[in-house]
Amino acid sequence: MSGVRNEEPAAPGADGARGDGGAGRWRDEGAVRAARWRDGDARWAARRRDGGAGRVTWGRGAAARWRGRAVAGALVGCVVLGVGVMVAAPGGGGGAAGRDDAGAGRGMGAPGAPARGPVVAEVRARAGAGVLAAGMSVGADELAVLVADREERVRARPRDGAAWAVLGAAYVERARRTGRVHDYPRAEQALRTSLRLRPRGNADALDGMTALANARRDFPTAREWGERAVAESPGRWTSYALLLDAYDGLGRYKAVRGTLERLLRTDSGPAAQAWAARVYWDQGRREDAAAALTDAAAAASTPAEEAALWVRAGELAWERGEPAEASRYFTAAVRADPGAADALAGRGRVLAATGRAAEGVRAYRAALARRPSARVALELGELYQSLGRAGAAEEQYAAVRELVRRSAAAGVNEALVLGALEADHGDPARAVRLLRAEWRRQPGLRVADALGWALHRAGAHEEALEYARRATDPARGGEVRSAAYVHHRAEIERALGLTASARRHGEEARRINPYVVGDGSA
């Protein structure tokens, strides 16, 4: 992968394990998997009621020293369902607008060739522009078919606004899956063409523009497009789902709650339940999140959709401090979709934090081989650093900067990743400048936590505490119950000599997830 080093092309051991059956076997086993999930979450809920008995405590050594940038990042930066959900091995469809994408349309003819027959009909039925934009699971092969088919369609009928909308949404999804950010400008061109051809009654293109802005982390723009889409077609669940992401990025949590209510009144299917689980999780409603994910998993209709739900379940298990369960979910995700880079990165996170650092390195490298990600590259760099491999760490940090530069050229905002890199491994003052600008533009909790930590690293502890309080105090909007956020607050308080408060928040962070916060020094 250009720009990211130390990658391996194949997943290591269990991280890359494939199921031994095809789609038919997957459907036959779906009920069994859903039952296992329900049983597992019932056991978890019982443990919660019993006071968390059996929680594993944090170890020492290299794994204990490695806090993991988005071990914090996994908690606050991963959108596992909806925008940015499904990840697959590079090699999406090509065509006239995408011939530089190696492997495009592999197994289905030359890139750009028209896709035909019942397969195309099935893809079209399941992957309308709005549904695709909202992150419904279409497999990598289906996505390649869809891109090739819509490219052929717009070449033959350049005034077909509906085809342009689907093509734009498909480009957004392909960029999210593969990390090839040059698809974002293509998506914008296609979607604006659709809106020019159909300026009214074009909710598909509005949904696509909302998804594009969310994927670029441009939440003010996403809010504008999303509110237009809802006004245009208030009965579409996809528009509410996409608007949720925009409000979340802007820190408008009252609007998040209201939009979720409207979403669930409009649709109660598996995708809607997955979105609900995400909001419940952020609000600390773990049992509700687990129940919603269970319902969604039971109704999953494709392997890619199942994989995304397993990833979400893995993130939830990791956040509640249960690495063995998280690992099982991530492994199940890879079995359902061997190209699930988020699942491999999740496995790397769990392995590194539980003392299996060498395996964690391999899992991270496999994830990066499947999809370039500045955030995952930063996590791997920090893991290398914790292992004393300074040269390898510096190579990864250089790779992060290159990926951020490449993303910026495609209109993608990576301020949080770059701010984290500068705060801990570069120039903290630069991190503060960067994150202040981000806070003025879109003041969500992720930015509050990142800016507070950068100020702390720059020595401005008192101001840092104000932002840490914003990120952790429910009375000030800090609804997300994150071990990383609370740990950062404890460290800032300790620097200010607020010993009792630092100890209290350090203990709280360890209760949420002892694997995130280190050896208890706070």
Side-chain angles (χ1 to χ4, degrees):
M1 175 190 60
S2 175
V4 177
R5 304 181 188 181
N6 302 308
E7 303 134 310
E8 292 178 347
D15 299 310
R18 296 173 181 262
D20 56 2
R25 180 186 178 98
W26 174 84
R27 293 189 185 93
D28 293 340
E29 294 177 347
V32 175
R33 277 191 292 269
R36 288 175 184 158
W37 193 343
R38 285 192 292 270
D39 291 344
D41 282 323
R43 290 194 299 274
W44 164 60
R47 284 201 301 276
R48 295 282 293 202
R49 287 193 296 272
D50 294 341
R55 184 179 295 279
V56 181
T57 57
W58 187 198
R60 295 292 191 267
R65 291 194 301 274
W66 179 72
R67 281 150 167 91
R69 161 60 42 212
V71 165
L75 307 179
V76 301
C78 262
V79 180
V80 183
L81 282 165
V83 175
V85 183
M86 317 311 167
V87 292
R99 294 183 187 278
D100 54 334
D101 294 336
R106 186 175 294 121
M108 287 168 285
R116 306 186 187 283
V119 173
V120 175
E122 181 182 353
V123 171
R124 289 174 182 165
R126 190 163 61 239
V131 173
L132 187 64
M136 284 296 288
S137 303
V138 178
D141 289 345
E142 294 173 318
L143 184 60
V145 169
L146 185 65
V147 169
D149 180 71
R150 295 298 85 183
E151 286 177 339
E152 179 70 14
R153 175 76 173 187
V154 299
R155 281 195 292 270
R157 300 185 181 181
R159 299 192 62 78
D160 187 339
W164 280 109
V166 173
L167 180 59
Y171 282 148
V172 173
E173 183 68 2
R174 190 169 72 178
R176 291 189 304 223
R177 288 169 181 262
T178 65
R180 295 173 182 174
V181 293
H182 53 259
D183 265 340
Y184 288 130
R186 295 172 182 166
E188 182 171 1
Q189 182 179 6
L191 292 165
R192 289 191 180 279
T193 299
S194 178
L195 286 167
R196 186 175 66 252
L197 294 168
R198 294 179 58 198
R200 300 186 187 281
N202 195 351
D204 276 349
L206 294 175
D207 276 356
M209 291 297 289
T210 309
L212 174 63
N214 279 331
R216 285 170 156 172
R217 287 193 53 81
D218 181 359
F219 298 117
T221 299
R223 178 189 61 80
E224 293 175 8
W225 287 114
E227 289 178 349
R228 280 184 60 183
V230 166
E232 183 78 38
S233 186
R236 287 167 62 97
W237 73 267
T238 56
S239 300
Y240 295 113
L242 292 161
L243 190 53
L244 275 176
D245 232 28
Y247 285 146
D248 180 72
L250 293 170
R252 296 180 56 179
Y253 299 105
K254 183 177 180 180
V256 167
R257 292 191 295 272
T259 304
L260 177 61
E261 291 175 3
R262 296 174 73 183
L263 166 61
L264 294 177
R265 284 198 302 268
T266 304
D267 186 88
S268 59
Q273 289 300 318
W275 281 91
R278 175 185 168 190
V279 175
Y280 297 153
W281 181 37
D282 282 349
Q283 294 174 347
R285 297 165 56 185
R286 308 305 187 204
E287 290 85 355
D288 291 340
L293 279 172
T294 299
D295 291 343
S301 60
T302 69
E305 186 172 1
E306 185 202 14
L309 291 164
W310 289 139
V311 169
R312 191 69 176 117
E315 293 289 355
L316 179 58
W318 172 248
E319 164 64 4
R320 66 194 186 224
E322 297 179 350
E325 287 189 36
S327 181
R328 285 194 294 270
Y329 287 136
F330 290 135
T331 299
V334 175
R335 286 184 179 137
D337 179 1
D342 282 344
L344 290 169
R347 283 275 291 162
R349 208 168 289 128
V350 171
L351 289 164
T354 54
R356 297 164 65 183
E359 293 174 80
V361 166
R362 290 196 296 272
Y364 272 125
R365 288 163 64 178
L368 288 167
R370 283 156 174 75
R371 185 187 64 187
S373 166
R375 178 181 58 82
V376 174
L378 179 54
E379 291 184 41
L380 176 57
E382 293 185 329
L383 177 54
Y384 279 138
Q385 187 165 328
S386 76
L387 297 171
R389 298 175 60 179
E394 288 303 320
E395 288 182 352
Q396 287 302 130
Y397 298 151
V400 173
R401 294 184 188 281
E402 171 59 21
L403 288 169
V404 168
R405 183 201 62 76
R406 190 185 308 171
S407 293
V412 180
N413 175 4
E414 294 275 23
L416 290 180
V417 175
L418 186 58
L421 176 66
E422 293 291 356
D424 284 333
H425 311 290
D427 180 355
R430 185 187 177 206
V432 169
R433 291 192 298 273
L434 179 71
L435 293 167
R436 280 194 197 280
E438 187 74 356
W439 175 257
R440 287 192 294 270
R441 186 164 174 265
Q442 39 195 29
L445 294 190
R446 297 173 181 85
V447 184
D449 172 70
L451 178 54
W453 186 250
L455 286 162
H456 166 66
R457 295 287 295 172
H461 307 305
E462 290 186 4
E463 187 181 3
L465 184 57
E466 286 301 306
Y467 287 98
R469 286 171 174 162
R470 286 178 181 266
T472 56
D473 186 351
R476 304 181 66 175
E479 291 187 342
V480 177
R481 192 166 180 260
S482 162
Y485 292 0
V486 179
H487 172 65
H488 285 164
R489 179 171 177 173
E491 290 292 301
I492 293 166
E493 289 170 334
R494 187 169 61 162
L496 288 168
L498 303 175
T499 306
S501 185
R503 182 180 300 110
R504 183 173 67 255
H505 286 115
E507 291 171 352
E508 180 184 350
R510 287 188 290 279
R511 283 195 302 272
I512 297 171
N513 185 352
Y515 296 89
V516 169
V517 301
D519 59 6
S521 59

